[in-house]
Structures are given as structure tokens and as C-alpha cells.
Amino acid sequence: CLFLLSCGNQEKKYIERLLQTWSEKEVLFPANSIFTIKGKDTVDFSMSGKFKILTYVDTLGCISCKLQLDRWKVFMEEVDGMTEDSVRFIYFFSPEKRKKFLETLRFENFTYPVCIDDMNQLNALNNFPSGNEMFHTFLLDKDNKVLAIGNPIHNPQVKELYLNIIQGKQMEQEDKSMHIITKVSIDRSSVSMGSFDWQEEQKSAFTLKN
């Protein structure tokens, strides 16, 4: 319901159908999933746990923008510090450019096991929602059934929802739409920065108005 507060009618209907479809749906994993650290060392990684946070990224386009590995590391530390229950983070990446993807993992010093799904088997098994990467992250129970959907890295309300479920807190039943009445406008949605050397820093400002 958190997604519905600031959506148009058509988008609301789409999200409502999506949430209904995925609620308590079992996510299937490829039988031959191989996890590595930085794409080099294969590790014996167990996907079992009371809760699992699965994120799938096809890594088309800007790899660093999509992965947000620094923010994931902070979130994992926060979850580990707040919960005693076993929470397993499961990362499936289907990179278009494997070499550049591995360079990003090493540059970010991301040492948590990941599955490099070159054949995109996870998506083939589950047919994840297309067109919106916010719905490529799931909170699963021990039986791999969906408890919540959304990206906790990009949405603080989704993050709060995940943590509440993991900690067993009773969810608020009040209609938040009665309290959250806000609109955000942006002065422009894109900017062309031209061509420049990768060592040069480029900046641009976007104005958000609440």
C-alpha cells in the first residue's frame, strides 16, 4: 500500500494487481545457483533462513547506479545489528557486461556472496515484473514465499516495512493516505553532460519542490 499513496489511477491499478499477484507467491531458484565473492572464489552459500531479502538486477545501463552496493552494505549491517533471527541476503545479478560488473564488485570491495546469473535463469523461472526495478527486490519467508515487495535501499518506507516484519512488530493499520498528503515536482527529468574523460568530475543540479 505504501506505493499507492502518490500514484496516478492507472499506476495504482497496475501496482494493486502486481501486489495481489505476488503476495505469498513462492519464488523459485535455479537448482545450479553458484555464489562467488567478487566473481573469483566460489563459496558454499546457503539460501536457507527464517527471512530472506532477494534482489535481482539485470545490470543493463549504469551498473553502479543500479547496484548501490555501499547502501546495501549499510543496510545489511543495520539488519544484523537489530535482529537475532537469521536474515539471508540473496543477490542475483545478470550482467550484460560481465567484466565491467566484476570490476564494480572489486572497486566497491563488496565481499558478500553473489550469484552471477549469466543465463538469467532466476528471471526465466519467476518472470519478475518488467519496467520497474523497484519491484525486483523481495522479502521472503523460510519457504521462499513473498512477504513484501519493494526496494528498501531506494524507499525508506519499504525499509521500515521490511524491518518491522523481520522484528515481528505489528503493522500499523491506519490509513496513511489520510496523513501523507504531498506532491513533489522536479524542474527537469534529465540532463545531457556531453562527452568527457572518465577521470573528470561532472556535476548537475536538480531542484525538487515539495
Side-chain angles (χ1 to χ4, degrees):
C1 294
L2 299 175
F3 289 103
L4 304 179
L5 301 179
S6 59
C7 302
N9 289 333
Q10 291 298 321
E11 189 174 3
K12 280 184 180 181
K13 292 179 180 178
Y14 164 74
I15 294 174
E16 285 173 352
R17 290 195 301 268
L18 186 149
L19 294 177
Q20 290 173 0
T21 300
W22 283 89
S23 179
E24 299 186 1
K25 181 177 179 179
E26 181 182 359
V27 172
L28 304 176
F29 291 96
N32 58 342
S33 301
I34 298 175
F35 287 81
T36 67
I37 294 179
K38 297 182 180 179
K40 296 189 297 183
D41 302 320
T42 301
V43 295
D44 185 14
F45 181 78
S46 172
M47 290 191 286
S48 62
K50 184 175 181 181
F51 296 103
K52 306 158 192 178
I53 297 177
L54 164 68
T55 185
Y56 158 78
V57 181
D58 61 17
T59 63
L60 293 170
C62 176
I63 294 178
S64 298
C65 302
K66 287 191 174 185
L67 297 183
Q68 297 285 322
L69 295 178
D70 280 342
R71 297 174 69 181
W72 274 109
K73 287 191 284 187
V74 172
F75 181 57
M76 286 192 292
E77 291 176 0
E78 184 176 353
V79 171
D80 289 341
M82 294 180 65
T83 65
E84 296 179 359
D85 295 312
S86 173
V87 179
R88 186 69 65 182
F89 287 83
I90 304 174
Y91 297 97
F92 269 78
F93 300 131
S94 297
E96 181 187 35
K97 299 178 180 178
R98 183 185 178 96
K99 182 178 179 181
K100 190 170 184 179
F101 168 73
L102 293 177
E103 288 175 353
T104 301
L105 287 182
R106 293 162 189 161
F107 179 78
E108 298 284 353
N109 194 29
F110 193 75
T111 57
Y112 196 84
V114 304
C115 180
I116 304 175
D117 187 8
D118 289 311
M119 302 301 293
N120 203 17
Q121 296 180 77
L122 183 68
N123 189 32
L125 284 172
N126 297 281
N127 192 24
F128 293 131
S130 60
N132 195 329
E133 295 165 3
M134 294 296 103
F135 299 111
H136 289 175
T137 301
F138 307 85
L139 175 62
L140 310 176
D141 66 9
K142 60 183 179 61
D143 298 317
N144 298 329
K145 292 186 177 180
V146 175
L147 298 174
I149 181 172
N151 194 316
I153 301 303
H154 296 286
N155 190 316
Q157 289 182 309
V158 172
K159 175 182 175 182
E160 181 182 2
L161 174 65
Y162 278 29
L163 293 177
N164 283 340
I165 294 174
I166 291 170
Q167 293 177 301
K169 292 182 179 180
Q170 185 175 357
M171 302 305 299
E172 296 179 6
Q173 297 299 317
E174 64 177 331
D175 184 359
K176 290 190 175 183
S177 64
M178 297 296 292
H179 304 281
I180 304 176
I181 304 175
T182 182
K183 290 185 178 180
V184 177
S185 62
I186 188 170
D187 63 333
R188 52 184 174 166
S189 60
S190 64
V191 61
S192 174
M193 308 192 79
S195 301
F196 55 91
D197 189 88
W198 70 273
Q199 293 178 316
E200 296 180 19
E201 180 179 6
Q202 301 290 324
K203 294 183 178 181
S204 183
F206 292 83
T207 302
L208 299 175
K209 189 173 182 180
N210 190 335

